Amino acid sequence: MPDLKADLKRWQETALKRTLDRSPERKQAFTTDSGIPVKALYTPLDNPESDYQQQIGFPGEFPYTRGVYPSMYRGQLWTMRQYAGFGAAEETNRRFRYLLERGSTGLSIAFDLPTQLGLDSDDPLAEGSVGRVGVAVDTLADMETIFQGIPLDRVSTSMTINATAPILLAMYIAVGEQQGVAQTQLTGTTQNDILKEFIARGTYIFPPEPSLKLALDIVEYCLGNVPRWNTMNIAGYHIREAGADAVQELAFTLADAITYIERARERGLAVDEFAPRLSYSLGCFRDIFEEVAKYRAARRLFARIMKERFGAKDPRSYLFRTFSGSCGSTLVSQQPLNNIVRVAMHALMGVLGGHQAIHTACWDEGYAIPSESAAQIALRTQQILAHESGLANTTDPLAGSYYVESLTNEIEKRARAYLERIDAMGGMLEAIESGFISREIQESSIRYQKSVDSGEKIIVGLNKFQEQETDQGAAAMDLFQADPAVEGRQKAALSAVRAKRSQEEVASALSELAAVISRNENVMPVVIRAVKAYATVGEITGVMRSAWGEYRSPAYI
Amino acid sequence: MNDVGNRKIRVLLAKVGLDGHDRGIKTVARYLADAGMEVIFTGIRSTPEQIVDAAVEEDVDVVGLSFLGGDHMTLAPRVIDGLRRRGLQVLIVLGGIIPQRDIPALEQTGAARVFLPGTPPDRIVQFIRGSLEQN
């Protein structure tokens, strides 16, 4: 037998060439969705086998390419964590119970924008937004209602909350206490990833420095007090949704993580104390192999950073534990039922990628808050993959694919190069403040749009295979209608709480908060005191606003 | 045709309300600028008052508003009323996640067109040019 290299060359020059001479390939060049060149064929030459232990290894062991736990889904399936929340607390409570009764194993709360931005429902700026994109929470009373009949020692709850995360976590702790569940038993996650708000999602309130301080207050407080809590979910998902490609998504997520870890160490926390409680999120976009390679590269690159850069010793510090989900931007309003298929592919990449928790989007999300039936299909999609497909029978089944291993290496290499550029700029905060990150994302976003315009990227139903439809589907759909009365009801409930509480205790807690801020101490204990006194989200944030001011990010177009 | 009289078409783009998703509007901004228009983007979380003031100050021909937070029925009419009260005769276009059933009311209020997700950005460029040429 000739050696492989010579044999490959022979095949390319004979068999392949003869075929291509007769009928050329469909396109001039093939790339991944993010523009990484893809060859016609991958062979062992692309991944020298000698690298196995160093590059791939075993699940649950360094460098974690194959998964963060040794037994992965054979031991325990991923958490099916459906994102929900809308209207007032009662409605979200009903939707949560609906999902739990149907086998959902974790909750994920969407908050409305006023709650995310520290505004009460009766603030003039909140008008029109109360209970729209998530549930409205003004005081502890709302949080009590959301979790009525849901024992906090039996579910884990993920909260998509950033600028006001200390307040919402404080409320969750207080509800737990009322239910007789100690904070040491609580499990769940606060997103608490403020850096990506400055570059992608926009729900920042304070300037970067005090914003980072608040985020780290949660990390520090939970260390001793809420030890099972995931203090941060450092999210690439939103960066991807803002237009970044797969490599940027990974690189910027890790650059954010590096910044938090450096800041935590500056506070005197040891990396092996807090790093095990950090969690991560990456999106599920379109290109299955690229996404799986991204997840595998993420685990490996992160573990290497923790070891090489931060000298972490506890293996739990190396784990890039992830909650990932459907990128809503891949969903298409035209012929919307096709989205069910897209979401099934998202779940497929998530499972092949070895995530700890997965969210599947609802096919009608492009129109409205998902209807109950759409939410059910999204959950069932995960259950079908878990129980009917054989996907969960072995760990990291794409390992050893010449293509996927090669792509994993390539993505790690490209992400590393970005990290080096960011380091050279002085770190992620500087890269964000100089506009570099926003501009990089914007360029990718425009590139993507242009390739859709030109038809180079095909989106079924949008730029190819269109139907003549005015608004097919949408008219026939059982669409969720936002209840216009929610805002009024929420305002009335807020007035009632304000009237009933002890004003002295509220005032005293708020002035103590101001003092804690001026002494630059951890705000968590006094925020917990304030929420227990039924101080509102707006009042607590107001104290912080007076101390730190508000930030307005420049817009790069 | 990118000119009104002797000058470039001036477009004010804005995100009203609390929503921070600006990928769509920034994409539109780029396409309008590439088409030779003068684009002013006021960033996220602008209030209706700020937008009206900016439209007056910048003397624009077009105001484009993006909504992804479900608050369009409250906030779009406020911007439009404000512009009318200041006597501005501008073309108003909206875009974002807006249910079909809300479109007639928004057009009634004074929006010339509501662009939904998936609209090729060039179509927005053409619409703005076409509308301004008619006047």
Side-chain angles (χ1 to χ4, degrees):
Chain A
M1 288 284 282
D3 81 337
L4 180 54
K5 206 167 173 181
D7 213 17
L8 174 65
K9 191 153 181 274
R10 177 200 54 76
W11 172 81
Q12 285 165 334
E13 287 168 358
T14 56
L16 179 63
K17 186 170 182 307
R18 278 198 301 274
T19 301
L20 292 182
D21 286 346
R22 272 199 311 274
S23 62
E25 290 182 334
R26 287 182 287 115
K27 296 195 271 188
Q28 285 271 309
F30 289 77
T31 67
T32 66
D33 224 15
S34 298
I36 299 174
V38 178
K39 298 200 290 185
L41 195 75
Y42 289 79
T43 68
L45 293 172
D46 294 292
N47 312 285
E49 238 171 297
S50 58
D51 280 347
Y52 183 84
Q53 275 141 303
Q54 207 200 346
Q55 287 288 86
I56 303 170
F58 300 101
E61 282 185 6
F62 199 85
Y64 299 95
T65 314
R66 305 205 61 176
V68 291
Y69 299 123
S71 67
M72 288 299 293
Y73 303 144
R74 284 172 68 109
Q76 195 182 346
L77 288 169
W78 63 93
T79 302
M80 299 176 192
R81 190 186 293 285
Q82 298 301 87
Y83 188 52
F86 54 88
E90 295 81 17
E91 289 156 299
T92 296
N93 177 258
R94 265 200 304 279
R95 178 64 67 90
F96 279 172
R97 291 188 192 212
Y98 177 92
L99 287 168
L100 290 170
E101 281 159 16
R102 278 157 189 78
S104 196
T105 47
L107 300 174
S108 176
I109 313 187
F111 294 102
D112 71 0
L113 285 165
T115 306
Q116 295 185 51
L117 289 166
L119 302 168
D120 288 335
S121 295
D122 57 1
D123 189 296
L125 288 174
E127 206 181 331
S129 299
V130 176
R132 287 284 165 156
V133 301
V135 60
V137 174
D138 291 311
T139 69
L140 179 58
D142 298 315
M143 208 67 157
E144 291 162 0
T145 306
I146 292 173
F147 290 100
Q148 205 151 51
I150 302 174
L152 298 196
D153 54 351
R154 305 257 297 277
V155 294
S156 74
T157 304
S158 164
M159 295 191 252
T160 299
I161 197 74
N162 295 280
T164 52
I167 306 172
L168 278 301
L169 174 59
M171 289 182 181
Y172 196 77
I173 290 169
V175 171
E177 237 172 68
Q178 289 178 5
Q179 290 187 358
V181 181
Q183 50 181 337
T184 48
Q185 291 172 266
L186 296 176
T187 58
T189 307
T190 33
Q191 193 167 78
N192 193 31
D193 170 15
I194 198 67
L195 288 174
K196 64 98 174 54
E197 297 297 326
F198 291 109
I199 53 180
R201 198 167 159 273
T203 67
Y204 50 82
I205 302 173
F206 315 112
E209 284 299 335
S211 295
L212 277 169
K213 175 225 162 11
L214 276 185
L216 289 163
D217 279 359
I218 288 184
V219 171
E220 184 181 53
Y221 176 81
C222 288
L223 270 188
N225 298 292
V226 201
R228 295 168 70 196
W229 195 259
N230 295 311
T231 54
M232 285 185 168
N233 186 261
I234 304 166
Y237 175 90
H238 310 89
I239 297 173
R240 188 65 178 276
E241 288 289 71
D245 66 24
V247 171
Q248 292 168 333
E249 176 193 7
L250 172 55
F252 299 163
T253 305
L254 294 177
D256 285 344
I258 287 169
T259 309
Y260 297 128
I261 293 167
E262 284 171 348
R263 291 306 180 100
R265 294 212 309 181
E266 282 166 21
R267 275 198 185 204
L269 307 179
V271 67
D272 285 328
E273 272 185 300
F274 65 84
R277 296 320 308 167
L278 304 179
S279 65
Y280 300 85
S281 161
L282 293 171
C284 301
F285 204 69
R286 304 198 323 165
D287 184 325
I288 292 177
F289 296 117
E290 178 171 64
E291 295 300 89
V292 173
K294 177 184 75 182
Y295 308 135
R296 300 175 82 247
R299 283 193 291 269
R300 184 163 74 202
L301 180 51
F302 177 75
R304 287 175 170 166
I305 289 170
M306 294 309 286
K307 190 176 205 169
E308 295 159 10
R309 183 169 183 146
F310 294 112
K313 300 234 160 26
D314 186 337
R316 292 174 310 154
S317 298
Y318 299 148
L319 306 186
F320 192 81
R321 295 176 300 126
T322 46
F323 166 37
S324 290
S326 302
C327 281
S329 65
T330 64
L331 304 183
V332 180
S333 310
Q334 290 74 15
Q335 305 171 43
L337 284 171
N338 295 341
N339 290 329
I340 294 174
V341 180
R342 294 187 175 100
V343 168
M345 293 207 300
H346 296 149
L348 175 64
M349 17 183 132
V351 175
L352 290 173
H355 294 290
Q356 281 56 64
I358 293 175
H359 157 79
T360 34
C362 301
W363 64 272
D364 56 359
E365 279 192 18
Y367 290 104
I369 295 286
S371 60
E372 214 158 72
S373 69
Q376 184 183 345
I377 292 172
L379 174 61
R380 295 286 181 253
T381 302
Q382 295 202 42
Q383 291 162 336
I384 289 168
L385 288 195
H387 301 290
E388 297 183 9
S389 71
L391 276 175
N393 286 345
T394 190
T395 297
D396 190 24
L398 290 182
S401 150
Y402 306 127
Y403 176 41
V404 172
E405 292 296 356
S406 165
L407 203 49
T408 303
N409 294 342
E410 185 63 25
I411 290 177
E412 183 186 9
K413 194 176 90 191
R414 289 179 180 227
R416 248 188 210 280
Y418 250 121
L419 288 174
E420 281 163 18
R421 279 175 82 184
I422 292 167
D423 279 339
M425 288 175 198
M428 188 57 165
L429 205 53
E430 288 73 10
I432 292 171
E433 288 181 323
S434 71
F436 171 77
I437 303 293
S438 292
R439 278 192 294 265
E440 289 290 297
I441 295 173
Q442 169 76 346
E443 288 316 308
S444 289
S445 163
I446 296 292
R447 226 176 1 253
Y448 192 89
Q449 181 63 46
K450 299 251 173 190
S451 66
V452 172
D453 293 347
S454 70
E456 181 197 329
K457 271 196 211 304
I458 290 169
I459 298 177
V460 172
L462 183 75
N463 63 357
K464 199 162 187 179
F465 313 113
Q466 299 100 322
E467 294 285 342
Q468 280 303 325
E469 48 180 345
T470 46
D471 194 27
Q472 177 257 331
M477 281 186 310
D478 165 29
L479 276 184
F480 177 86
Q481 293 240 21
D483 177 358
V486 164
E487 192 158 323
R489 280 211 312 273
Q490 185 69 21
K491 283 170 154 173
L494 172 58
S495 306
V497 171
R498 277 213 185 97
K500 229 170 45 190
R501 65 188 188 177
S502 156
Q503 311 307 336
E504 298 80 62
E505 173 55 11
V506 171
S508 152
L510 293 178
S511 78
E512 172 64 12
L513 173 60
V516 163
I517 289 173
S518 69
R519 293 196 300 267
N520 199 26
E521 292 169 1
N522 194 311
V523 300
M524 279 305 298
V526 66
V527 170
I528 293 172
R529 186 186 150 200
V531 303
K532 283 183 180 169
Y534 296 88
T536 69
V537 169
E539 288 163 345
I540 296 168
T541 311
V543 173
M544 299 175 180
R545 276 196 177 95
S546 329
W548 294 321
E550 288 196 55
Y551 184 70
R552 197 160 164 80
S553 174
Y556 300 95
I557 57 175
Chain B
M1 265 299 287
N2 298 318
D3 303 334
V4 183
N6 287 325
R7 60 165 209 177
K8 282 183 170 182
I9 294 175
R10 293 175 65 77
V11 186
L12 180 81
L13 295 179
K15 292 272 313 167
V16 210
L18 306 179
D19 173 59
H21 293 95
D22 57 3
R23 178 180 181 174
I25 198 161
K26 282 162 80 173
T27 302
V28 173
R30 175 67 70 89
Y31 275 70
L32 298 183
D34 286 351
M37 300 182 200
E38 205 65 62
V39 179
I40 300 122
F41 175 44
T42 58
I44 60 169
R45 281 192 250 157
S46 301
T47 64
E49 297 71 31
Q50 287 166 341
I51 293 164
V52 172
D53 287 346
V56 172
E57 206 167 296
E58 299 282 353
D59 189 21
V60 295
D61 310 297
V62 184
V63 172
L65 307 175
S66 156
F67 292 98
L68 285 89
D71 48 3
H72 49 275
M73 295 306 279
T74 308
L75 297 175
R78 247 180 237 181
V79 176
I80 296 170
D81 289 350
L83 292 169
R84 297 273 178 272
R85 271 204 304 276
R86 301 279 288 270
L88 280 187
Q89 292 301 316
V90 293
L91 181 75
I92 294 156
V93 290
L94 309 182
I97 298 184
I98 294 175
Q100 195 82 28
R101 60 171 176 270
D102 291 341
I103 293 177
L106 292 167
E107 288 178 344
Q108 197 80 50
T109 315
R113 185 62 67 86
V114 178
F115 294 103
L116 297 180
T119 303
D122 282 329
R123 199 175 292 167
I124 301 174
V125 173
Q126 287 155 16
F127 177 79
I128 290 175
R129 277 187 192 154
S131 307
L132 293 182
E133 276 166 17
Q134 279 168 18
N135 293 336

